[in-house]
Structures are given as C-alpha cells and as structure tokens.
Amino acid sequence: MIGKAITLAILGGTGQEGGGLALRFGKAGHRVILGSRDAARASAVARAMNETLGRAAVSGTTNKEAAAAADVVVLTVPYAAQRATVEEVREALRGKILIDATAPLKPPKVARVQLPPEGSAVAAIQALLGGEVRVVSAFQNVSAHHLRELGREIACDVLICGDDAAARETVIGLAADIGIAGFHAGPICNSAAAEALTSALIAINLRYKCPGAGIRITGVARDRELLRDSSE
Ligand SMILES: NC(=O)c1ccc[n+]([C@@H]2O[C@H](COP(=O)([O-])OP(=O)(O)OC[C@H]3O[C@@H](n4cnc5c(N)ncnc54)[C@H](OP(=O)(O)O)[C@@H]3O)[C@@H](O)[C@H]2O)c1
C-alpha cells in the first residue's frame, strides 16, 4: 500500500482502461483527475463516476491541467495518441512518475504482437522524456472490463517495469491499493514483454470468448516484503 491518499491524473481517463483505473483508485481513497482532450467530457464522466462511487473522488479537466495538478500521472490513451499526448503535457511531468499502460496495438490486427522499432512503446516514452521523468510501465495486462466491475476482485498480476526501483515500488503500492499484486519485472526495456502479452491475451479472449484473460506470476513468494527489489 502507498500509505497515503495522493492525486492521480489519468490522461485518457474518459476511456475504457483509464476509466476503470479511475474508479478503482477513487474507491481506494485517492483523488483522481480525469484528463481529456475535452474538459467538458472529462467533467461529465467524472460526475457519473462519483455517482457510482457515492462520493466526490473524481474530477475532470484537460490532459494538461490534470497532469499539472497531479502527484502521479497515468497514461491510458490509444498507442496512436501516446507520443502526442505525452508531448502535450511534457512540462507538467517534470519530476513526477508517469505510469504508462500503453500496449502498441495497431488495429485491425490487435491480436498480433506488433512492437515498435524501438522495442517497446513505453521505453520509447522514457527515452523521449529523459531523466526528469520516471516512467513506469504497468497495467497493460489488466482488462478494462474487469476494472470497471467494481465488485469484482482483479484476479491477475501486473508486471512493473522501470529504470528507477523506487518509482516501481510506488507503483506496486498503488496497484496494491486497488487489490492488484504488482511485481518488479526489471528495467523499462522489459515493458516489451507486457506490451506483447497484451496481444496474446486478446487472442485468448477471442478464442475462448471471454473479456479479460490475465496473467499470474508463480514460483515466487507473494508476501509484499519479499517482493521488494533488493538488487538496487
Ligand atoms: N481496454 C483495455 O482492456 C486495456 C487493457 C490494458 C491496457 N490498455 C491500454 O490502455 C490504453 C487505452 O486503451 P482504451 O481501450 O482505454 O482506449 P480508448 O477507450 O479507446 O481511449 C481512451 C481515451 O483516449 C483518448 N483518445 C482517444 N483517441 C485519441 C487521440 N487520437 N488522441 C488523443 N486522445 C485520444 C480518449 O479520451 P478523450 O476523447 O476524452 O480525450 C479516450 O477516451 C491503450 O494504450 C491500451 O493498449 C487497454
């Protein structure tokens, strides 16, 4: 657990994955600001979320204002919009953790792994932003469908990749706040594994007619303290 309530901006929070994370983080007691290209849309979606949650945990504004007001920023826009969205909010990200949930899906063949030439969509964003922003890759393999069913336990694990161990630890704490076990899974380049898995999971969803196949890590103690990274 992260141990205190923080303010999270969710860029693309009006959509499927960001909306699910917003509901879960709001339910967990964090303050959530939905970012959107359209502040009015974000406000309307936030109002509906607050009705679902039964309290005013969520607000909505532009992506830029949301990023500026947040302690931690979460990116949940389609791959085609990932870089442009980051460039738009770049100044506001300085000194912060950016959690990037992007999987580089290229419609229509979303069930086929199509990693970018850089190797990983999220690593490319860390390279773009440089050392002033600690980018952490997470949540690529968590179904939006399951996140949005608030009464449902999220029965899958999350690979947490990033070059900064402390930033990864913060994201593991945030995942724990919404009932998801996150695992230190190495540096940001390893995000390629989680990004590729998304297409494999979509293929499983299609083949077995289910909305949210996920992954479980086995063979490691599931005690939070033991999962801490001792290598750095
Ligand atoms: N859906 C899932 O189950 C799932 C699971 C894991 C990871 N992800 C990842 O999460 C990200 C978002 O997926 P999603 O399914 O939530 O997508 P989505 O619902 O289609 O889009 C999310 C939001 O992104 C914004 N957006 C859409 N097109 C845009 C554009 N061209 N430029 C700027 N903003 C745009 C929209 O917000 P505004 O119109 O309000 O700006 C939209 O509500 C993707 O990278 C995906 O791979 C998704």
Side-chain angles (χ1 to χ4, degrees), residues 200-225:
L201 291 170
I202 290 171
I204 291 170
N205 289 342
L206 293 171
R207 178 67 179 78
Y208 296 94
K209 298 185 177 18
C210 59
I215 59 158
R216 275 285 196 222
I217 303 301
T218 63
V220 56
R222 299 186 71 83
D223 179 287
R224 294 290 78 208
E225 288 306 308

Side-chain angles (χ1 to χ4, degrees), residues 41-120:
R41 176 165 52 240
S43 295
V45 173
R47 276 195 297 278
M49 285 185 182
N50 287 332
E51 271 180 36
T52 301
L53 293 170
R55 66 188 196 90
V58 186
S59 60
T61 182
T62 61
N63 284 322
K64 219 172 187 171
E65 286 183 2
D71 301 308
V72 170
V73 180
V74 185
L75 183 63
T76 58
V77 297
Y79 174 55
Q82 180 205 27
R83 181 170 282 257
T85 304
V86 168
E87 280 173 342
E88 193 199 338
V89 304
R90 186 174 185 155
E91 280 306 305
L93 296 176
R94 196 169 287 172
K96 295 179 183 173
I97 293 173
L98 173 67
I99 304 173
D100 190 347
T102 303
L105 304 179
K106 291 185 196 151
K109 297 196 170 171
V110 293
R112 182 171 297 188
V113 177
Q114 300 180 77
L115 294 176
E118 300 93 327
S120 151

Side-chain angles (χ1 to χ4, degrees), residues 12 14-17 36-37 41 76-79 81 85 101-103 105 139-140 142-144:
T14 56
Q16 291 304 307
E17 184 76 358
S36 169
R37 291 168 293 180
R41 176 165 52 240
T76 58
V77 297
Y79 174 55
T85 304
T102 303
L105 304 179
F139 303 119
Q140 281 85 358
V142 183
S143 152

Side-chain angles (χ1 to χ4, degrees), residues 173-230:
L174 286 167
D177 285 346
I178 58 173
I180 300 178
F183 288 77
H184 286 279
I188 199 72
C189 59
N190 287 3
S191 177
E195 295 170 27
L197 263 175
T198 299
S199 291
L201 291 170
I202 290 171
I204 291 170
N205 289 342
L206 293 171
R207 178 67 179 78
Y208 296 94
K209 298 185 177 18
C210 59
I215 59 158
R216 275 285 196 222
I217 303 301
T218 63
V220 56
R222 299 186 71 83
D223 179 287
R224 294 290 78 208
E225 288 306 308
L226 293 179
L227 292 176
R228 283 171 194 276
D229 190 348
S230 58

Side-chain angles (χ1 to χ4, degrees), residues 1-6 8 20-32 53 55 57-58 150 173-179:
M1 308 280 170
I2 194 168
K4 59 177 180 185
I6 65 165
L8 289 144
L21 288 170
L23 282 167
R24 294 277 174 169
F25 284 127
K27 188 181 172 200
H30 293 296
R31 296 174 294 276
V32 177
L53 293 170
R55 66 188 196 90
V58 186
L150 273 184
L174 286 167
D177 285 346
I178 58 173

